Amino acid sequence: MPDANDDDFRQVLSREHEALEKRRRRAAAGLETAPPKLRLALCATLLDKRDTGILLRALRETPSCALPEDLAHLRRIFKTPNDGPVKLLLCCSENPNDCTLPQGLEAMRDKLGDPEVIEIPESTPVSYEEARSWTMRYWPVNFIKSRAGLSLKPGLQVLDLTQSDRVQAGKYLRQVTALSASHQGKDAALIVEPNADVVVAKSLDTTTEEGHPLRHAAMNCINSTCARILQTRLSKQADAVPSPASAAGSRKRAKLDEEKHDSLAKETGDLENDDFPGFDPVNTYLCTGLDAYLSMEPCPMCAMALLHSRVRRVFYASPNPRRGALGSCARIHCHEQLNHHFQVFTCADPKPKES
Amino acid sequence: MRAALAEGEAALARREVPIGCVFVVRQGEENVAAEETVLTSGGNETNEEANATRHAEIVAIDRLFARVGPSAKDLLASSELFVTCEPCIMCAGALREVGVRKITFGCGNDKFGGCGSVITVDPDADLRAGLLADEAVSLLQKFYQRENPQSRDTLAAKFSAPSPSPTKVDQDVSADTLS
């Protein structure tokens, strides 16, 4: 089943951001994009091109000619093709019939032709290509990269996976789908330390075996990871000071989870159990910096559990159209209100799960 | 709700985010002097377990399953939840999984709320908000006046192992474990 294309991922973004990305890709491919929102403005032809500098300075110094911040993509000068006349954008306009020269520019009247009302793009272009096509059709606009995106929290931004990211993600995603396939298609999950490139925990869905409806693969995997982190931390602490009585309970719990993990690890022939070079459980705050790999898109509970645990990225193999919370039914990771954000990826070409 | 607040108090004493809950089964006719039995209860254990998913609701559900086994699901399905703070998206998802529909909570949860504040996980849930909300809030305030013992700064100080990047943790970090 796995082939070379499995290393190709699609980032799951907010609907708004997804539309923006689609527009950007279409523009880059030279395809038609949505026309910009237009607004009225006043422009005038320069009678003598040598006056360009004087006029630009005058426009800069005249308050009524100032352009609002969100129109920063518009150019002031329009050099019409084939060495034609130079037009200047004077100011925004509200009334299509009002062609009077803006206040404060009267001294320049003899250098300008009659002002005319035109339509200019109010929207900000999302790419060079879009800026170029709008320039041809309406009025010259610049593509300003920092203004092209939506203002989003860092975790919600588009992330270009590097080649080594893709190779690593492909490897673990194949591993998790193989784990699922070898257990009658039960959901499976891996939590991975990306820098050390090791699996910290692997889990299967055990709702049926345990008769416990919350034992989803991702929840089990978070529990195993936390148990391992806690276990290491407690034993480190025990080395330093005699362990306090209160820690005994959680130590026992951690031990239990640990054993459960080990039995699965043995069963799946996993040897990355004892020590993780490069992974420091003592200084790990929850699952910060770890990546999660899931055979199936998580439900709201698991998605939020991953978010609470502060994982870095989530990769899932197949979408869950019925109750997936990271793309299908909801996009929990795109809520600005939440305090942590991770990036979510899925296969570029998702294969629906057969069941 | 008093019992849930008591669980919250107990969590505070363990230096946890003070949120508590009880699952209650009512026997007899509704609105008649019904007999109420506490099925299971729990408080936050996120810090003790170093596991951000150990919220009061999950702890209480796990306790019941540990005690009675798979039949816990049927018991829970007929029960009613009282929790001091609005269940987060994860807990709201968990409650839907186990079939708890009647949910009464104290204060809302603007950061993680799964019962209307951020999103509504289960549109069919029968929600009641604001019961003893002031007491739930003052309990939380008591906690946030102190530091969160599991936050990165405190951990780094507790374990003298070299910290790769001792980044400054803002005030909000202590709120991640909010149920």
Side-chain angles (χ1 to χ4, degrees), chain A residues 64-79:
Chain A
S64 62
C65 295
L67 292 178
E69 185 73 351
D70 59 344
L71 292 180
H73 56 280
L74 290 166
R75 283 192 217 154
R76 283 284 189 180
I77 310 171
F78 181 14
K79 290 179 185 152

Side-chain angles (χ1 to χ4, degrees), chain A residues 27-332:
Chain A
L31 296 166
E32 185 89 357
T33 58
K37 195 176 159 203
L38 297 172
R39 68 154 300 143
L40 298 176
L42 207 58
C43 83
T45 306
L46 203 57
L47 298 179
D48 187 342
K49 286 178 197 170
R50 283 169 297 184
D51 290 334
T52 310
I54 303 171
L55 255 302
L56 282 178
R57 197 174 319 124
L59 288 172
R60 240 191 340 262
E61 288 164 1
T62 309
S64 62
C65 295
L67 292 178
E69 185 73 351
D70 59 344
L71 292 180
H73 56 280
L74 290 166
R75 283 192 217 154
R76 283 284 189 180
I77 310 171
F78 181 14
K79 290 179 185 152
T80 51
N82 306 323
D83 214 17
V86 170
K87 288 183 176 183
L88 281 179
L89 179 62
L90 302 179
C91 63
C92 293
S93 164
E94 304 303 332
N95 182 355
N97 302 318
D98 181 11
C99 291
T100 47
L101 207 62
Q103 206 189 349
L105 217 59
E106 291 81 3
M108 300 291 146
R109 189 183 297 275
D110 58 337
K111 298 189 193 308
L112 294 168
D114 286 337
E116 51 180 317
V117 178
I118 50 158
E119 282 189 314
I120 52 161
E122 188 177 358
S123 344
T124 310
V126 294
S127 65
Y128 286 111
E129 291 81 3
E130 198 169 64
R132 203 163 51 210
S133 98
W134 292 359
T135 298
M136 312 279 261
R137 278 171 64 182
Y138 309 98
W139 184 267
V141 290
N142 287 325
F143 166 61
I144 307 169
K145 205 171 178 189
S146 60
R147 288 174 182 272
L150 303 162
S151 63
L152 290 167
K153 294 199 171 190
L156 294 180
Q157 282 166 3
V158 179
L159 182 80
D160 288 320
L161 293 175
T162 64
Q163 187 53 32
S164 62
D165 280 346
R166 281 173 197 280
V167 170
Q168 187 183 60
K171 176 176 83 175
Y172 289 119
L173 207 57
R174 274 192 293 275
Q175 208 170 314
V176 79
T177 43
L179 180 63
S180 163
S182 63
H183 288 80
Q184 303 90 44
K186 278 190 185 127
D187 291 346
L190 296 182
I191 286 183
V192 168
E193 210 296 319
N195 298 324
D197 199 14
V198 288
V199 175
V200 178
K202 58 168 70 177
S203 301
L204 285 165
D205 177 296
T206 54
T207 46
T208 323
E209 288 84 341
E210 294 192 52
H212 190 319
L214 305 186
R215 294 283 180 258
H216 295 186
M219 287 295 271
N220 287 344
C221 207
I222 293 171
N223 287 341
S224 291
T225 306
C226 294
R228 289 179 83 79
I229 291 173
L230 184 66
Q231 185 73 16
T232 320
R233 201 177 280 169
L234 288 174
S235 55
K236 282 248 170 91
Q237 198 177 26
D239 292 346
V241 280
S243 87
S246 67
S250 41
R251 183 184 275 246
K252 200 173 146 198
R253 227 194 93 84
K255 192 80 195 151
L256 276 173
D257 276 347
E258 177 100 338
E259 276 161 15
K260 208 155 61 189
H261 170 82
D262 281 354
S263 66
L264 177 65
K266 270 187 206 110
E267 193 188 322
T268 53
D270 178 38
L271 297 170
E272 299 154 303
N273 264 306
D274 299 304
D275 268 319
F276 321 105
F279 175 52
D280 175 14
V282 172
N283 285 301
T284 303
Y285 175 67
L286 302 171
C287 300
T288 309
L290 304 181
D291 291 343
Y293 291 87
L294 310 170
S295 58
M296 171 93 112
E297 183 184 355
C299 71
M301 172 180 71
C302 294
M304 193 63 189
L306 290 164
L307 198 139
H308 277 314
S309 301
R310 307 293 190 91
V311 298
R312 189 184 70 145
R313 290 173 195 166
V314 176
F315 295 83
Y316 62 82
S318 14
N320 183 347
R322 208 163 49 82
R323 55 178 191 174
L326 298 180
S328 297
C329 303
R331 295 173 198 221
I332 282 177

Side-chain angles (χ1 to χ4, degrees), chain A residues 212 223 285 310 323 337, chain B residues 51 62 65 97 110-111 176:
Chain A
H212 190 319
N223 287 341
Y285 175 67
R310 307 293 190 91
R323 55 178 191 174
Q337 228 173 321
Chain B
N51 183 339
D62 275 355
F65 274 96
E97 293 290 328
D110 288 343
K111 274 196 156 154
D176 356 313

Side-chain angles (χ1 to χ4, degrees), chain B residues 22 27 93 101 122 129 162-163 173:
Chain B
V22 287
Q27 268 142 3
R101 285 283 151 78
D122 187 357
S163 171
V173 161

